[in-house]
Amino acid sequence: MENGHDGCRAQHGYTADKQAYLRRLRLIEGQARGIARMVEQDEYCIDIMTQISAVTSALKAVSMALLKDHLEHCVAAAVREGGDAAQEKFDEAMTAISRLAR
């Protein structure tokens, strides 16, 4: 699977757990639809915010798991190769971590 990201050419770090990720994302999608239904049905604000918080937490958990897979697979492969590829993957990972920390 050629994707233009050196160090991740053969497969992505999450490939082995792809079905589990998809299952989790479908559950989150269902939660988001449930929130929309709550708004349509004029549910109590605090209840809606509670559900939004749950979806946010679930998305953060997925993103952290993906980041872990990326570090263990793509970044580790780049480090083994060394050179500029290692620094590029490190910088890419730091950018992703910064985005998640916001």
Side-chain angles (χ1 to χ4, degrees):
M1 172 183 298
E2 179 71 35
N3 67 3
H5 295 286
D6 294 334
C8 294
R9 286 191 176 143
Q11 70 180 34
H12 298 292
Y14 63 83
T15 300
D17 296 320
K18 185 175 181 178
Q19 292 308 312
Y21 279 116
L22 289 171
R23 186 180 72 254
R24 290 170 77 181
L25 290 168
R26 286 184 194 110
L27 289 171
I28 293 167
E29 181 182 18
Q31 285 179 290
R33 282 193 307 271
I35 293 168
R37 248 188 327 276
M38 291 176 79
V39 171
E40 288 173 353
Q41 296 171 357
D42 295 319
E43 298 285 336
Y44 185 54
C45 300
I46 298 299
D47 293 339
I48 295 169
M49 288 187 293
T50 299
Q51 292 306 310
I52 290 171
S53 178
V55 169
T56 301
S57 294
L59 282 170
K60 283 184 179 183
V62 170
S63 66
M64 292 305 293
L66 283 169
L67 177 61
K68 180 180 182 289
D69 288 342
H70 180 69
L71 291 172
E72 291 175 349
H73 183 262
C74 299
V75 176
V79 168
R80 283 189 298 274
E81 289 177 24
D84 291 340
Q87 187 61 50
E88 288 172 16
K89 283 295 172 194
F90 177 80
D91 293 343
E92 179 183 67
M94 287 306 300
T95 299
I97 292 166
S98 294
R99 277 194 305 263
L100 292 174
R102 289 186 207 151

